[in-house]
Amino acid sequence: MDNNAGADTPMNRNSLKTLLLSCAATVALWFVPLASFALYPLRLFVTFIHESAHALAALLTGGRVAEIQIEPDASGVTMTYGGFGLLIVMAGYLGATAYGAWLISLGRRARAAHAALYASAAVVGLATVLAVRPWHNFFGFAWGLIIAALLVWAGRRMSALAAERTVMFLGVQCVANALYDLKTLVGLSTIPNGPTTDAALMSQMIPLPPVVWAVLWSGAALGILWAALRPYWRRGA
């Protein structure tokens, strides 16, 4: 049997086309005036994924989550107790990148898109209901419910093709925003006595300069992205 038999199937060509269109649309929207308003819910979605990764790392290492807060500028914070601090701190950026890479990988699996939309709704919905306190952070609580509801609606109403394209676009948004945030983190980490970032917290646990952690995480994020993209280019994928 020819191992390259599936390399040029219509599904593979369509998946690659969808990926390229999602990347092009993401880049183009960065330069469109007022497009940031349309992308705002997507930016908040990525923040929820980032903070949920912190929370999950805490729970998986024996800690507990006190609260998640999501702010109008799309920043967030996850307050945890116990657990393995090193893993919890690094989970945010790498978790968001990995989640986006997972969504991108589903673009090659026609039947998985709706399940991915429901899974994303569950992640945001559970994080909102279980960890966002409406009396402290009504903004985050309200937007969490809105985003979860929109994802459920998309899972129920979208055709298979529309769902695949939506999941691919969400994945590209996750990865693009995570990489952009890491670029910002590298810049912030070069400021003496700069803000308290994940990289600064990491440097308190292992005494390397925050910028070193920011660069290491950026490299790891690019590695995760490469692993997700490789099947689209590899012959026989």
Side-chain angles (χ1 to χ4, degrees), residues 42-191:
L42 296 175
R43 187 71 182 91
L44 291 175
F45 168 74
V46 177
T47 303
F48 269 102
I49 298 299
H50 178 112
E51 301 306 329
S52 296
H54 283 306
L56 181 61
L59 294 173
L60 291 178
T61 57
R64 64 187 182 92
V65 179
E67 185 176 355
I68 291 176
Q69 293 185 356
I70 308 295
E71 303 301 334
D73 63 357
S75 64
V77 61
T78 300
M79 289 165 275
T80 64
Y81 295 100
F84 186 36
L86 292 176
L87 182 60
I88 295 169
V89 170
M90 71 173 62
Y93 293 106
L94 298 184
T97 305
Y99 194 86
W102 175 68
L103 293 178
I104 290 173
S105 71
L106 294 180
R108 301 172 64 244
R109 300 169 186 158
R111 298 180 180 179
H114 286 98
L117 290 170
Y118 289 131
S120 298
V123 170
V124 176
L126 287 173
T128 301
V129 172
L130 298 179
V132 181
R133 314 298 181 214
W135 52 90
H136 289 162
N137 186 214
F138 182 77
F139 172 86
F141 188 81
W143 267 105
L145 295 181
I146 290 170
I147 292 170
L150 288 173
L151 289 168
V152 170
W153 176 88
R156 289 177 59 86
R157 296 293 184 178
M158 283 185 170
S159 66
L161 180 59
E164 290 170 35
R165 290 177 175 174
T166 299
V167 166
M168 186 78 75
F169 186 68
L170 285 175
V172 170
Q173 286 292 310
C174 275
V175 172
N177 279 285
L179 291 175
Y180 180 83
D181 289 344
L182 281 166
K183 173 180 174 293
T184 301
L185 181 66
V186 171
L188 292 174
S189 298
T190 62
I191 302 173

Side-chain angles (χ1 to χ4, degrees), residues 190-216:
T190 62
I191 302 173
N193 301 316
T196 302
T197 63
D198 288 349
L201 293 173
M202 194 74 172
S203 68
Q204 294 174 11
M205 291 180 253
I206 297 180
L208 292 174
V211 68
V212 173
W213 289 114
V215 171
L216 288 174

Side-chain angles (χ1 to χ4, degrees), residues 16 19-20 226 229-235 237:
L16 178 59
L19 174 62
L20 294 175
W226 169 248
L229 294 179
R230 189 180 177 190
Y232 287 92
W233 313 107
R234 188 177 57 197
R235 290 182 63 81

